[in-house]
Amino acid sequence: MVTEKEDVIRRYSNETEGVYVLSFKNYLETFWPDLKGARELYESVRQTLYERESDSRESNGKEYQEHLPLEVLEAGIKSGRYKQGVLSVNKHRSQLEAFVRLQGLAGKNTDLQSDVLIHGTKARNRAIHGDVVAVEILPKSDWRGRIGALCENEADERAVDTQSEVMMTGRVVGVLQRNWRDYVVTFPSKEETQTQGKNAQKVLVTPWDYRIPKIRISTQQAETLQDYRVVVRIDSWESHSLYPNGHFVRALGRIGDLEAEIAAILVENSISTNPFSEAQLAEMPTNTPENPWQVSLEECNRRDLRETHLVFSIDPKGCEDVDDTLSIRTLKSGHLELGVHIADVTHFVKPNSYTDIEAKARATTYYLADRRFDMLPHILSADLCSLLGGVDRYAVSVMWELDSTTYEIRRVWYGRTIIRSSYKLSYEVAQQLLDGDLEPLSTEAELQPLIQDSVQRDRLLWAIRKLTEVAQAVRSRRDMHGALELEGVEIRVQLGEGHSIDDLVPKQPLQVHETIAECMIMANHWVAKKIWESFPQQALLRLHPPPRQEFFKELKECAHAKEFSIDTRTNKTLADSLDKAIDPSDPLVNRLLRAMATQAMSNAQYFSTGSYTEDEFCHYGLALDKYTHFTSPIRRYADIIVHRLLLAAISNGTKEHLLGNKDLEELCRHINNRNRVRCLLHYMLTFCTV
């Protein structure tokens, strides 16, 4: 037994009653003598606790009001006296301003009036950015507007307070949930350390995220760590203390060192770089030369497509995690059958398993310029769930029967399948084949057999051409409803991989990568309809709300300067206006206008259908009434949830393991947050590593 209670240690010091008791310090020294970092961490925490107790005894006054007890807060929220929400500190106001976005407003057209302004650190009452808090709304006579200029401290507020429109203002009366995390900090210089007090063990460190207040820690390494990025954790924030108390965790490396700076970005954004645990890996199947994985004959509820369908994938060159494959063929009736086959991750990742819990926490795969952090263990992401060529794999498929002339959809089928992808093509190779260039047949090893096999060669070439024709027809129908020719919109808000001006081009025949994208959009749309029909109150969909009209101001002004008129009333009028805004003498004009339209777009987000009305489901950029993410379950946790919903929907609506609306809405908030981090991470680390 390990304890810090001296009376317990004395009582059992002679191993009486069969219990061996020792202090944590003695435990480390006895059993882990080489763990220097653990001993330093222990001393830091012990010193912090000691100083907190000492400060509490010595303090004669309070810097902040005491938080109300939890039962009082809950009763006040229920009665309406207090409001609940997440505290968000304004990153541009030197910590003076914070806002609480009131919870329970999902689906409403929220603006700043649905936020509560928290002005000043006193009103914030020790709440930290990200905490779930209870706020009391102040009388209207005390309401304020947002500050119109930056200032250094609250004493300057009257000089710079060029307030905007007055908004609802409040103060924090309690914290319902602390969302503290690891914080990257820097130590003060030697001179600053000396001015912080006579006790050199006590140091105020400055967080990298300037929405977080300075943190007081105790350490014997203050001088040594002045040039390092360091991770600390907050332990407490007492009402008598001006700053929160915390402890040293670890050093990341010297300031300016590339690996240290990348590590700091990862820590600040709560990106897990830890390897998957033994418990998670124990849930994984094996696939070795001695013990190869095989499809199970017991999977009799699957439709076997291995002998009847030509299945192939088209992805970026070097892609390891192949989520999706395609098939197209002519049926006996003369109609076409188009199939989108997606990796069946849910076969391997069971609800509430260790792997599932970890995937939920990570929410997505993070890609850097020179590395990646997978959402799933490698044996799934790059092997058994990856739809590689020439191997049997489990899939979840959507297959449409199409009119062979108009490509109108006659019927749709959803279900689990077994597939064997015949070809793993890159975008470049597929584009060459589409353009009639057969050079890849001699340069790509897996295509070389087609030189002699004209039947299979013609079958593959026909499939690529027919896919492109179908995708063009599907895209044209979306265009009629106002789909925007702004690939950057969905790339920016959905994929988070960035975009360039070259992506924003006027309408033209679809290229191969656009064909694949259109097939994936089609699958996502039809799955969204299916899961909503089956579970109208608990389906995970993705919406892209219309932009606010004021965000189009610069676009309209720039277009007017070139004598073009941009109509932004609807996505259809915007798309038509952009198509007409072409300067024959300068093709960059249209591209730049489309780029500006992209910047005006709102962010797409996941949501639970039980929290919104049906008229709010729409995806503005894609011109679809319902949309979700189904096609990338290897790298997006949202898609795993959607797969479970779809499989439940085609199994007579079985709701086992499905989340209710409240839990699903909370999960959507988490995934949306992780997606924003992924987008930010992409831009920051592309800059750091290139």
Side-chain angles (χ1 to χ4, degrees):
M1 176 181 178
V2 177
T3 180
E4 293 297 282
K5 296 182 178 180
E6 294 183 3
D7 59 327
V8 176
I9 296 174
R10 285 195 299 271
R11 178 181 174 187
Y12 292 98
S13 60
N14 295 321
E15 296 188 52
T16 56
E17 302 183 33
V19 179
Y20 182 57
V21 181
L22 71 169
S23 69
F24 200 84
K25 180 179 180 181
N26 288 337
Y27 169 75
L28 289 174
E29 291 174 346
T30 303
F31 295 100
W32 305 96
D34 297 330
L35 289 184
K36 180 182 177 183
R39 293 201 303 275
E40 291 174 350
L41 178 59
Y42 164 76
E43 290 296 338
S44 176
V45 174
R46 188 186 63 81
Q47 184 70 15
T48 297
L49 293 173
Y50 173 77
E51 289 173 358
R52 189 202 309 175
E53 294 172 358
S54 300
D55 289 346
S56 181
R57 289 192 298 267
E58 296 172 5
S59 177
N60 295 320
K62 293 185 180 295
E63 296 287 347
Y64 301 96
Q65 290 189 353
E66 294 287 352
H67 291 156
L68 297 177
L70 181 60
E71 59 270 18
V72 175
L73 296 176
E74 291 176 342
I77 292 170
K78 188 174 182 180
S79 68
R81 179 178 180 182
Y82 305 130
K83 306 296 182 183
Q84 175 180 339
V86 178
L87 184 80
S88 178
V89 178
N90 190 330
K91 63 174 64 176
H92 304 297
R93 297 285 185 246
S94 188
Q95 290 200 13
L96 260 186
E97 279 186 351
F99 302 90
V100 173
R101 170 59 54 90
L102 300 183
Q103 293 182 354
L105 292 173
K108 305 296 190 296
N109 292 319
T110 57
D111 54 22
L112 288 180
Q113 289 302 316
S114 65
D115 290 342
V116 178
L117 172 65
I118 309 295
H119 182 83
T121 56
K122 295 291 185 183
R124 204 177 309 156
N125 195 10
R126 296 171 286 143
I128 289 177
H129 178 79
D131 286 348
V132 180
V133 299
V135 297
E136 181 179 49
I137 307 302
L138 298 177
K140 284 193 174 182
S141 58
D142 293 330
W143 286 12
R144 310 173 60 103
R146 301 183 68 173
I147 296 175
L150 298 177
C151 59
E152 292 301 319
N153 55 62
E154 293 188 57
D156 298 327
E157 64 186 50
R158 283 176 291 186
V160 299
D161 197 358
T162 58
Q163 292 184 0
S164 60
E165 182 179 349
V166 170
M167 62 183 293
M168 187 161 49
T169 306
R171 66 184 184 93
V172 174
V173 295
V175 177
L176 298 166
Q177 178 181 323
R178 288 290 193 188
N179 284 320
W180 294 343
R181 56 175 175 81
D182 287 357
Y183 299 101
V184 177
V185 303
T186 54
F187 276 68
S189 65
K190 186 181 297 185
E191 293 76 17
E192 290 174 313
T193 303
Q194 291 173 350
T195 63
Q196 287 189 10
K198 59 184 180 180
N199 188 350
Q201 303 298 318
K202 224 179 253 190
V203 182
L204 279 177
V205 293
T206 303
W208 186 350
D209 184 345
Y210 38 80
R211 295 171 297 184
I212 308 301
K214 290 184 178 180
I215 302 168
R216 185 174 61 178
I217 70 169
S218 297
T219 179
Q220 299 176 355
Q221 306 179 71
E223 224 174 285
T224 307
L225 295 172
Q226 284 175 4
D227 298 326
Y228 282 77
R229 299 283 185 206
V230 173
V231 178
V232 304
R233 288 179 188 155
I234 294 176
D235 299 312
S236 65
W237 194 347
E238 309 299 337
S239 60
H240 57 75
S241 176
L242 194 59
Y243 300 102
N245 295 308
H247 66 269
F248 167 86
V249 177
R250 68 184 186 277
L252 298 176
R254 288 188 178 277
I255 295 173
D257 176 76
L258 178 60
E259 287 301 318
E261 298 296 347
I262 290 177
I265 293 174
L266 295 174
V267 169
E268 273 298 304
N269 290 283
S270 302
I271 306 298
S272 174
T273 60
N274 297 325
F276 289 94
S277 70
E278 290 184 9
Q280 292 153 9
L281 295 178
E283 296 175 338
M284 297 297 99
T286 58
N287 188 28
T288 64
E290 299 77 22
N291 186 20
W293 179 86
Q294 294 179 326
V295 297
S296 172
L297 297 178
E298 284 72 36
E299 287 284 332
C300 55
N301 60 334
R302 292 181 183 270
R303 185 170 167 183
D304 193 339
L305 309 181
R306 289 175 291 181
E307 303 299 329
T308 56
H309 290 63
L310 175 66
V311 177
F312 56 94
S313 63
I314 304 177
D315 289 289
K317 187 176 294 185
C319 179
E320 292 183 0
D321 47 352
V322 181
D323 294 274
D324 56 271
T325 55
L326 297 155
S327 66
I328 189 166
R329 63 172 184 162
T330 302
L331 301 175
K332 291 180 180 179
S333 63
H335 292 159
L336 293 175
E337 181 192 71
L338 169 64
V340 171
H341 315 285
I342 306 301
D344 189 359
V345 172
T346 58
H347 173 81
F348 299 98
V349 181
K350 304 302 182 184
N352 300 317
S353 63
Y354 293 116
T355 307
D356 182 55
I357 293 169
E358 180 66 19
K360 182 192 302 182
R362 298 189 182 204
T364 182
T365 291
Y366 299 92
Y367 297 92
L368 281 62
D370 59 348
R371 70 199 78 178
R372 57 188 281 172
F373 302 103
D374 288 320
M375 184 182 77
L376 297 173
H378 186 266
I379 191 173
L380 296 185
S381 62
D383 190 0
L384 297 184
C385 286
S386 188
L387 306 181
L388 305 171
V391 292
D392 296 341
R393 291 291 182 260
Y394 291 142
V396 179
S397 301
V398 184
M399 293 193 284
W400 301 268
E401 185 176 329
L402 310 172
D403 184 279
S404 59
T405 304
T406 64
Y407 303 132
E408 292 288 343
I409 296 172
R410 300 283 184 170
R411 61 179 59 86
V412 60
W413 179 88
Y414 309 88
R416 278 182 149 152
T417 55
I418 302 175
I419 67 168
R420 182 187 298 133
S421 177
S422 297
Y423 306 104
K424 182 178 181 291
L425 306 177
S426 67
Y427 285 142
E428 295 80 2
V429 167
Q431 187 65 51
Q432 284 181 272
L433 297 177
L434 178 63
D435 295 339
D437 181 358
L438 301 184
E439 181 185 356
L441 299 185
S442 58
T443 59
E444 301 293 320
E446 69 173 324
L447 297 180
Q448 288 175 2
L450 297 182
I451 297 175
Q452 305 298 327
D453 191 341
S454 60
V455 174
Q456 282 296 93
R457 179 180 68 236
D458 293 344
R459 191 181 178 196
L460 175 61
L461 296 176
W462 176 88
I464 295 174
R465 286 195 297 269
K466 189 57 67 175
L467 269 179
T468 304
E469 291 175 13
V470 172
Q472 183 75 65
V474 174
R475 175 61 201 238
S476 297
R477 283 195 284 270
R478 286 202 302 114
D479 287 341
M480 292 175 59
H481 291 91
L484 294 171
E485 191 69 53
L486 299 173
E487 291 184 33
V489 175
E490 191 60 15
I491 290 172
R492 175 170 64 88
V493 300
Q494 173 181 318
L495 302 180
E497 297 298 328
H499 57 273
S500 67
I501 288 179
D502 290 335
D503 292 324
L504 310 173
V505 295
K507 291 181 177 63
Q508 58 184 342
L510 292 187
Q511 302 295 298
V512 161
H513 71 278
E514 295 170 308
T515 295
I516 303 307
E518 200 61 47
C519 291
M520 298 305 114
I521 290 170
M522 184 177 173
N524 288 333
H525 172 54
W526 280 85
V527 169
K529 294 203 298 183
K530 181 65 176 179
I531 62 176
W532 175 75
E533 289 168 0
S534 299
F535 307 109
Q537 296 299 312
Q538 59 190 107
L540 188 154
L541 299 188
R542 186 167 175 81
L543 63 80
H544 181 210
R548 293 168 61 169
Q549 286 299 308
E550 56 264 35
F551 293 167
F552 287 119
K553 181 180 178 182
E554 290 186 0
L555 169 64
K556 290 181 175 180
E557 290 175 350
C558 289
H560 181 71
K562 299 294 290 185
E563 300 183 349
F564 295 122
S565 176
I566 302 296
D567 186 344
T568 61
R569 288 175 298 172
T570 68
N571 54 355
K572 175 63 174 171
T573 60
L574 174 60
D576 291 344
S577 298
L578 290 172
D579 287 344
K580 296 174 183 176
I582 297 176
D583 184 346
S585 64
D586 188 356
L588 274 179
V589 170
N590 188 269
R591 295 180 179 181
L592 289 171
L593 291 177
R594 291 177 186 274
M596 296 183 73
T598 298
Q599 295 304 314
M601 293 296 122
S602 307
N603 287 330
Q605 61 188 30
Y606 299 107
F607 70 99
S608 172
T609 51
S611 297
Y612 287 70
T613 58
E614 188 178 353
D615 60 354
E616 295 174 298
F617 291 2
C618 68
H619 196 293
Y620 178 88
L622 298 178
L624 294 171
D625 60 339
K626 295 176 184 67
Y627 192 68
T628 192
H629 274 167
F630 160 75
T631 54
S632 294
I634 293 177
R635 62 181 178 88
R636 291 189 305 227
Y637 189 75
D639 301 52
I640 291 180
I641 296 297
V642 169
H643 275 234
R644 289 173 181 160
L645 285 162
L646 177 62
L647 294 173
I650 61 179
S651 301
N652 301 319
T654 304
K655 290 190 175 185
E656 187 180 5
H657 300 304
L658 297 186
L659 298 175
N661 176 63
K662 183 177 180 181
D663 291 337
L664 183 57
E665 191 63 34
E666 183 178 343
L667 176 61
C668 287
R669 281 194 291 270
H670 166 67
I671 297 175
N672 289 332
N673 175 265
R674 291 290 86 200
N675 274 350
R676 284 190 291 271
V677 167
R678 180 168 57 87
C679 294
L680 175 65
L681 188 71
H682 170 78
Y683 291 119
M684 292 179 73
L685 293 186
T686 297
F687 176 77
C688 283
T689 56
V690 172

